[in-house]
Amino acid sequence: MKTVTIIDVAKRAGVSKSTVSQYLNGRYEYMGADTRERIKQAVEELGYRPNTIARSLKKKKTKTIGVILANILYSFSTKVIRAIEDVCNREGYQVIICNADDNPSKEKWYIEMLLAKQVDGIIAIPTKSNIDLYRKLKERNYPLVFVDRYIDGLDISTMMLHNEKAAKMCVDELTDNGYERIAMLTMEPISITPRFERIQGYKKALEDKGLKATEDYIASAPLKEMQTRLKELMALKQPPQAIIAINDLSFMQLLTFVKENKLEVPGDLAIIGIDDISFADLFDPPLTTIAQPAFDIGREAAAALIQKINNRYVMDADIRRFEPRLIRRASSTKS
Amino acid sequence: MKTVTIIDVAKRAGVSKSTVSQYLNGRYEYMGADTRERIKQAVEELGYRPNTIARSLKKKKTKTIGVILANILYSFSTKVIRAIEDVCNREGYQVIICNADDNPSKEKWYIEMLLAKQVDGIIAIPTKSNIDLYRKLKERNYPLVFVDRYIDGLDISTMMLHNEKAAKMCVDELTDNGYERIAMLTMEPISITPRFERIQGYKKALEDKGLKATEDYIASAPLKEMQTRLKELMALKQPPQAIIAINDLSFMQLLTFVKENKLEVPGDLAIIGIDDISFADLFDPPLTTIAQPAFDIGREAAAALIQKINNRYVMDADIRRFEPRLIRRASSTKS
DNA sequence: ATATTTTAGTAAACCGATTTACTAAAACAA
DNA sequence: TTGTTTTAGTAAATCGGTTTACTAAAATAT
């Protein structure tokens, strides 16, 4: 299988490869109309497709970006990726995806792979551990955008939910419906940005309402231990009347708990989940959730990255906050 | 930002770039131990990373594969991608993903992009429309693996569910529980492989049980019209006692219908869905489903592709069938 | 001591494009 | 007619590696 190169086209059209290259890049002013036509013919007849690798080598642009995230199985990540891919596709970029599994060494390996591959930019949901590496990239003005998580002191454009507001919406919805003992259920670790901020928002919102946020009511656990953690929470002398699940996975755990313990929602316990889940409408009762605009976030991240790639000048690094949206259903209403 | 090249390393180590290249490729027999050490030093001190693009150009291997699928938002696709990425990562390959949205011209565009980028192979959930393009690839012995869908007369390795068996499992489970009037709910178009085969399997299984498969009971519709289609189905003189949803999206529609019409499951209507959905356990009643081993399918697809990439010789193109698994829950039991 | 082999390395061609500097011929101006 | 500009193109360098063919010096064999 001999591949067709620019030289084959040049020969068939009876011109030099320089001219073919000009043709391929649309600089028709370097050739006559007849020549242009002959090249066009030759390209078609030979079924010629330029070798992007060779082009990239010379141009120092690969028209490819890398996306590093924890796990594409998380629905937030899936949506973000989809949005990124849409934007990139439209702009002629291709997307290499990397599941770093929140594993810093895997993340590092991927970053280096992507750089070796000369990708034009990277979008990441970063771990905190490779801060030095990211800092180095930032210093050499390498196009970089973060999503969902913020790394302190790094000053890199980040697209994320207004997490405090999201938590506040939950609290307000519950207090508006007369609930006062409101707990929060979270996965561990609680140090990553969205969890940290949501917990902050939860505390502040309670205080705003004149309620005190007791540490007892912040139930954190790894996923597998969440059932027992919930049991403890509900066994308190003053068990909560309502629980906010910090993300979709915690919410699933909460639903499992509710189901296994035959709790009536919202009678025995009101619940709200951050992250809209596909079956919120189908659950009995329908579940109140906070939706986050994952597609918008992905779209804006891609758009920002491509801007950075195109404009050589440094852009202001900033945090863009996206608005959460309360979807009120029956699980949080007055009992 | 001047990038460090092999020449910089060569200079600093006081050798030719050929020798550095040998070093980078682990062919240490071409140099003395001291030289080897000096190069190692130089690489470290300069923080040198070989440019993969340049290497790819010469080696004609990019260590990259492309994956073309309909939409990464479908949970089957997400799982397949994740499994592919895992395998590829382990083998040093990177993955470019392409959402073709079942749009043949988008699919074609992506295939050509990937080829221009010289990816070493492609995994696709193909549409039928680019059969000529795929045939051409197959002829030039280009590494190619299909997932989920089969294209007739193309003889390309394909990894897919044993769809007929999956449908049969549904029918058998329902008949075992005493149901006889069993309908099937499917999205349109019904021509794509999994849907086609599942419908076939449904018909055969009914016949095996001595039940006749009436066309009335095969309810197909695009997603948005599925509610009205279901209404029609249940308005038949002899409405079905049970419905099999052909995939997760149809199943969601069915659940919505059940909920809105306050049907009792399985009392008024027994239901089973092909594709295990995340909340099957949480629904009331818990939902019987057929799970398909999406991770295995992705893993095997990636493994097969990499084999094809490595071995130059032609492999037997074949269809590998994966086993469906019935997860029996309450929605299909005797009423 | 000489011939042969091994060791340690190098120079140059190459992968397939882009880009720069240059030019012959034609067109135009004075 | 001569000088200048424009048109239409080309040759060669380049991107950053890999690979092949070759060689000087050292080690070994005879």
Side-chain angles (χ1 to χ4, degrees):
Chain A
M1 191 51 221
K2 67 272 146 208
T3 55
V4 181
T5 75
I6 198 171
I7 296 193
D8 302 316
V9 176
K11 274 192 194 133
R12 175 174 271 249
V15 295
S16 74
K17 63 180 188 156
S18 320
T19 304
V20 177
S21 177
Q22 304 290 16
Y23 169 85
L24 294 173
N25 289 280
R27 290 187 288 268
Y28 303 126
E29 64 273 23
Y30 289 106
M31 69 203 72
D34 51 331
T35 305
R36 176 173 167 183
E37 187 55 33
R38 279 203 326 279
I39 297 177
K40 183 165 174 245
Q41 291 278 325
V43 166
E44 276 168 17
E45 288 165 16
L46 295 171
Y48 169 70
R49 297 276 143 198
N51 179 325
T52 311
I53 293 291
R55 173 177 293 174
S56 295
L57 178 59
K58 180 69 207 225
K59 285 204 171 172
K60 292 165 170 287
K61 294 246 165 245
T62 53
K63 282 284 188 173
T64 307
I65 68 157
V67 177
I68 298 178
L69 35 72
N71 189 342
I72 201 180
L73 294 173
Y74 298 155
S75 91
F76 175 76
S77 301
T78 314
K79 289 176 187 163
V80 168
I81 276 276
R82 173 68 219 222
I84 291 173
E85 213 267 322
D86 277 354
V87 173
C88 287
N89 174 226
R90 212 166 34 242
E91 304 284 333
Y93 284 83
Q94 273 171 307
V95 179
I96 294 179
I97 55 152
C98 311
N99 292 287
D101 289 320
D102 272 328
N103 173 342
S105 63
K106 218 171 157 189
E107 180 184 31
K108 179 160 191 242
W109 188 86
Y110 272 125
I111 295 172
E112 284 175 350
M113 252 321 209
L114 290 172
L115 294 177
K117 253 193 177 120
Q118 316 293 119
V119 298
D120 296 340
I122 292 178
I123 296 176
I125 298 183
T127 68
K128 287 195 196 302
S129 311
N130 288 304
I131 182 160
D132 289 344
L133 192 44
Y134 284 124
R135 195 195 311 283
K136 228 163 261 162
L137 291 182
K138 156 99 186 171
E139 274 163 15
R140 70 178 66 165
N141 216 12
Y142 183 82
L144 191 55
V145 171
F146 286 158
V147 168
D148 195 45
R149 299 183 191 166
Y150 175 66
I151 294 189
D152 213 34
L154 214 50
D155 228 34
I156 287 174
S157 304
T158 306
M159 307 289 157
M160 55 197 298
L161 184 68
H162 202 313
N163 286 301
E164 293 205 354
K165 192 181 278 187
K168 186 175 172 50
M169 282 174 141
C170 294
V171 170
D172 289 356
E173 163 74 3
L174 290 166
T175 54
D176 286 354
N177 278 281
Y179 299 98
E180 298 209 323
R181 300 203 307 280
I182 301 169
M184 178 157 243
L185 177 67
T186 172
M187 291 166 66
E188 284 180 352
I190 60 167
S191 59
I192 71 169
T193 314
R195 294 177 203 159
F196 179 79
E197 292 185 345
R198 288 171 198 178
I199 292 172
Q200 289 304 309
Y202 157 78
K203 289 180 184 166
K204 276 191 205 160
L206 281 182
E207 281 161 18
D208 287 353
K209 293 285 175 181
L211 300 167
K212 62 176 185 299
T214 66
E215 287 298 322
D216 283 359
Y217 273 13
I218 300 179
S220 77
L223 267 191
K224 317 102 229 161
E225 296 166 25
M226 211 165 257
Q227 294 302 316
T228 56
R229 187 71 193 77
L230 276 167
K231 205 158 296 174
E232 288 166 23
L233 178 65
M234 295 308 288
L236 289 175
K237 275 149 294 176
Q238 286 256 311
Q241 305 161 315
I243 299 182
I244 299 167
I246 207 163
N247 64 9
D248 49 354
L249 297 180
S250 324
F251 202 23
M252 296 282 286
Q253 290 292 321
L254 178 54
L255 297 176
T256 302
F257 181 82
V258 160
K259 176 131 191 164
E260 286 185 354
N261 292 277
K262 301 199 171 41
L263 296 181
E264 204 197 315
V265 173
D268 299 333
L269 185 71
I271 58 181
I272 296 190
I274 300 181
D275 284 346
D276 192 35
I277 52 185
S278 63
F279 57 98
D281 264 323
L282 294 171
F283 199 82
D284 189 32
L287 302 166
T288 297
T289 57
I290 304 282
Q292 68 174 309
F295 289 106
D296 292 346
I297 292 176
R299 198 157 32 232
E300 293 300 318
L305 187 72
I306 290 174
Q307 266 209 22
K308 291 199 185 194
I309 291 172
N310 291 336
N311 306 343
R312 214 135 289 149
Y313 64 86
V314 197
M315 290 176 53
D316 295 327
D318 57 337
I319 300 190
R320 289 224 6 223
R321 293 286 181 177
F322 290 75
E323 292 298 318
R325 192 165 50 88
L326 174 74
I327 304 176
R328 186 175 287 118
R329 301 193 186 90
S331 71
S332 63
T333 54
K334 254 189 257 316
S335 52
Chain B
M1 193 47 222
K2 68 273 148 209
T3 55
V4 181
T5 74
I6 197 171
I7 294 192
D8 301 315
V9 175
K11 276 194 193 129
R12 175 174 270 249
V15 294
S16 74
K17 62 176 189 159
S18 320
T19 305
V20 177
S21 176
Q22 304 290 18
Y23 169 84
L24 294 173
N25 288 280
R27 290 187 287 268
Y28 302 126
E29 65 272 24
Y30 290 105
M31 69 204 71
D34 52 332
T35 305
R36 175 173 165 183
E37 187 56 32
R38 280 203 324 281
I39 296 177
K40 182 165 173 247
Q41 291 278 325
V43 165
E44 275 168 17
E45 287 165 18
L46 295 171
Y48 170 70
R49 297 275 143 198
N51 179 325
T52 311
I53 294 293
R55 174 177 293 173
S56 295
L57 179 58
K58 180 68 204 218
K59 284 204 171 173
K60 292 164 169 288
K61 294 247 165 243
T62 53
K63 281 284 185 174
T64 307
I65 68 156
V67 177
I68 299 177
L69 34 73
N71 190 342
I72 200 179
L73 293 173
Y74 298 155
S75 90
F76 175 75
S77 302
T78 313
K79 290 176 187 163
V80 168
I81 276 277
R82 172 70 219 222
I84 291 173
E85 213 268 322
D86 277 354
V87 173
C88 286
N89 174 227
R90 212 166 34 243
E91 304 284 334
Y93 284 83
Q94 271 168 308
V95 179
I96 295 179
I97 53 151
C98 310
N99 292 286
D101 288 320
D102 271 329
N103 173 340
S105 63
K106 219 171 157 190
E107 180 185 30
K108 179 162 190 240
W109 188 85
Y110 272 124
I111 295 173
E112 284 174 351
M113 253 322 208
L114 290 173
L115 294 177
K117 245 185 186 128
Q118 317 293 119
V119 299
D120 296 340
I122 292 178
I123 296 175
I125 298 184
T127 68
K128 287 193 197 306
S129 310
N130 287 305
I131 183 162
D132 289 344
L133 191 44
Y134 284 123
R135 195 195 312 283
K136 229 164 259 162
L137 292 182
K138 155 98 185 171
E139 274 164 15
R140 72 178 66 165
N141 216 12
Y142 183 82
L144 191 54
V145 170
F146 286 159
V147 168
D148 195 46
R149 298 184 192 166
Y150 175 68
I151 295 189
D152 213 34
L154 214 49
D155 228 32
I156 288 175
S157 305
T158 307
M159 307 289 156
M160 56 197 297
L161 184 69
H162 202 312
N163 286 301
E164 292 204 354
K165 192 181 276 186
K168 185 175 173 51
M169 281 173 139
C170 296
V171 170
D172 289 355
E173 162 74 2
L174 290 167
T175 53
D176 287 353
N177 278 280
Y179 298 98
E180 298 210 322
R181 298 202 310 277
I182 301 169
M184 177 157 244
L185 177 66
T186 171
M187 292 166 64
E188 286 180 349
I190 59 168
S191 60
I192 72 169
T193 314
R195 296 178 201 158
F196 178 79
E197 292 184 346
R198 288 171 197 179
I199 293 172
Q200 290 304 310
Y202 158 79
K203 289 181 186 167
K204 276 191 205 159
L206 282 182
E207 281 162 18
D208 288 351
K209 293 285 175 180
L211 299 166
K212 64 178 180 303
T214 67
E215 286 300 321
D216 283 358
Y217 273 13
I218 300 178
S220 77
L223 267 192
K224 318 102 230 161
E225 296 167 26
M226 209 165 259
Q227 294 301 318
T228 55
R229 188 69 192 78
L230 276 166
K231 203 157 298 172
E232 290 166 22
L233 178 65
M234 295 307 289
L236 290 175
K237 273 148 296 176
Q238 286 257 311
Q241 305 160 316
I243 299 182
I244 301 166
I246 207 162
N247 64 10
D248 50 354
L249 297 180
S250 321
F251 202 23
M252 296 283 284
Q253 290 293 321
L254 178 54
L255 297 175
T256 303
F257 181 82
V258 160
K259 175 132 192 163
E260 286 184 355
N261 292 275
K262 303 198 169 41
L263 297 181
E264 204 198 313
V265 174
D268 298 333
L269 186 70
I271 59 182
I272 296 189
I274 301 181
D275 283 345
D276 192 34
I277 52 186
S278 61
F279 58 98
D281 264 323
L282 294 171
F283 199 82
D284 188 33
L287 302 167
T288 297
T289 57
I290 303 283
Q292 68 176 307
F295 289 106
D296 292 345
I297 292 176
R299 199 158 30 237
E300 293 299 319
L305 187 71
I306 290 175
Q307 267 209 20
K308 290 198 186 194
I309 290 172
N310 291 337
N311 306 342
R312 212 133 292 146
Y313 65 84
V314 197
M315 290 176 52
D316 295 329
D318 57 337
I319 300 190
R320 289 223 8 222
R321 293 285 182 178
F322 290 75
E323 292 299 317
R325 190 165 51 88
L326 175 74
I327 303 176
R328 187 175 287 117
R329 301 193 187 88
S331 73
S332 63
T333 52
K334 253 190 256 315
S335 50

